[in-house]
Amino acid sequence: MSSKIILNHHVIYDKISGSLIDIGNKHDEIVLTTPANNCLQILLKNKPEITTQKELFEEVWEKYGIPINPNTLYQNIAMIRKAFRQLGLEEDIIVTIPRRGMLVADTVDIAEYEECVDNRIDNEAQTANLTLPTPIPDDGLGDVSSHNTPFHYNLKKISLVFTSVMLLFIIIAASTDFAYGKYLKTQSRFYHYSYWGDYNQCQLYVDDYFKNKVKNNGGNLPINADLHCDNKERVYISLYTGLPRESLVFCDGDALDKGSNCRSRYRYFIES
């Protein structure tokens, strides 16, 4: 079954590569980012039901250990909408349902994409068979092994091509996995956090806003939470501009690594 579908008789969508192509101009192509492509797949799979924000969070980011906030989700949905508009679909493909989630619009028509098979391939194969030399019957006088030489040569050639293709596939897969892992890290809100110092056996990681708060606070920690760690945990501290709230995320390793276990704590307070 093809991985491609046609949306509103106008755009070809490849669910594997995340590409969107104008059916009338196949040179006009837009490739979605991996998170945006995953969001679109889930929305299409759930059509006509509503997909909750929580489901998108879990399936696209949290199952890979990536912290997520609503802004990142909305940016990816906006990216999908913009791509469809650039390809000439002005109507809303994705509709937001306030306080419930989002869904693919009822007006969106979905059809399977039928690939056209080029018959020239079969014709070329038949022509090749017709032009092969006719085997000469063995009269018992010649070297028997000489008749098998072309077969062994072709088998060796096929094996070499197959090995090269598999090696190329492995290299591409490894490169793609590395690039995707790097991209997921850059999407985390902890990507720009840096080590600040130790406090009560905690390793504190903070952003530039926190550093400025420390500077303006005479070098004292600008938080009200009682911090203490037993196992040298990493603590990612977030303060919010104009909001009396602090966020503490405790991790047993780097928050950007999939294997790290993290827990969060929020605290509201009254600023003096």
Side-chain angles (χ1 to χ4, degrees):
M1 182 179 293
S2 175
S3 66
K4 300 178 181 178
I5 59 176
I6 302 176
L7 301 175
N8 280 6
H9 312 284
H10 188 89
V11 174
I12 302 172
Y13 168 48
D14 189 331
K15 291 178 282 187
I16 294 178
S17 67
S19 65
L20 299 169
I21 302 174
D22 185 343
I23 199 170
N25 179 15
K26 294 188 178 180
H27 295 292
D28 194 359
E29 178 181 3
I30 298 174
V31 180
L32 300 173
T33 64
T34 301
N37 183 42
N38 291 342
C39 287
L40 181 55
Q41 284 193 45
I42 293 172
L43 289 166
L44 288 169
K45 182 185 71 172
N46 291 345
K47 183 179 186 300
E49 302 297 327
I50 294 174
T51 301
T52 64
Q53 185 183 89
K54 182 175 183 295
E55 180 179 354
L56 292 172
F57 281 174
E58 291 176 350
E59 293 299 319
V60 180
W61 288 279
E62 292 178 353
K63 70 187 298 184
Y64 301 105
I66 306 300
I68 179 65
N69 59 67
N71 286 339
T72 302
L73 171 62
Y74 296 143
Q75 287 171 4
N76 281 277
I77 297 301
M79 187 184 306
I80 298 171
R81 289 170 171 157
K82 181 180 179 181
F84 280 114
R85 285 197 298 271
Q86 289 178 337
L87 293 175
L89 285 179
E90 295 298 331
E91 62 268 28
D92 284 337
I93 298 296
I94 300 174
V95 179
T96 300
I97 308 300
R99 294 183 297 278
R100 296 183 63 190
M102 53 192 68
L103 52 74
V104 175
D106 293 337
T107 56
V108 175
D109 180 78
I110 302 175
E112 291 291 333
Y113 176 73
E114 297 292 337
E115 300 266 9
C116 295
V117 179
D118 194 343
N119 293 326
R120 290 178 298 177
I121 299 176
D122 293 334
N123 293 335
E124 291 174 358
Q126 293 176 4
T127 303
N129 291 332
L130 292 175
T131 56
L132 288 176
T134 303
I136 301 175
D138 185 10
D139 57 4
L141 300 177
D143 185 1
V144 176
S145 63
S146 65
H147 299 307
N148 294 327
T149 299
F151 172 77
H152 289 298
Y153 173 78
N154 289 335
L155 182 60
K156 183 177 180 181
K157 187 176 181 181
I158 291 172
S159 299
L160 181 61
V161 172
F162 178 78
T163 302
S164 300
V165 171
M166 289 301 298
L167 181 60
L168 180 61
F169 175 79
I170 292 172
I171 293 174
I172 292 175
S175 299
T176 302
D177 183 69
F178 175 81
Y180 181 51
K182 184 69 175 177
Y183 169 77
L184 289 179
K185 287 186 177 182
T186 62
Q187 295 296 299
S188 171
R189 67 188 177 98
F190 298 127
Y191 182 72
H192 298 290
Y193 279 55
S194 60
Y195 174 73
W196 183 75
D198 287 355
Y199 180 82
N200 284 353
Q201 299 187 48
C202 300
Q203 300 180 54
L204 305 185
Y205 283 76
V206 300
D207 56 10
D208 290 336
Y209 178 72
F210 179 93
K211 294 176 183 177
N212 290 332
K213 291 284 286 186
V214 171
K215 183 177 180 180
N216 296 333
N217 202 33
N220 297 319
L221 284 178
I223 59 174
N224 292 346
D226 181 23
L227 271 180
H228 184 77
C229 301
D230 296 325
N231 299 309
K232 297 287 287 186
E233 291 178 297
R234 296 189 180 195
V235 181
Y236 295 83
I237 304 176
S238 300
L239 305 179
Y240 300 87
T241 305
L243 293 178
R245 185 178 70 166
E246 57 195 21
S247 167
L248 305 174
V249 178
F250 297 78
C251 298
D252 59 6
D254 192 337
L256 300 178
D257 293 337
K258 294 181 180 179
S260 297
N261 295 315
C262 299
R263 54 190 173 85
S264 60
R265 189 171 74 187
Y266 290 91
R267 179 185 175 96
Y268 290 85
F269 56 89
I270 299 176
E271 292 185 329
S272 57

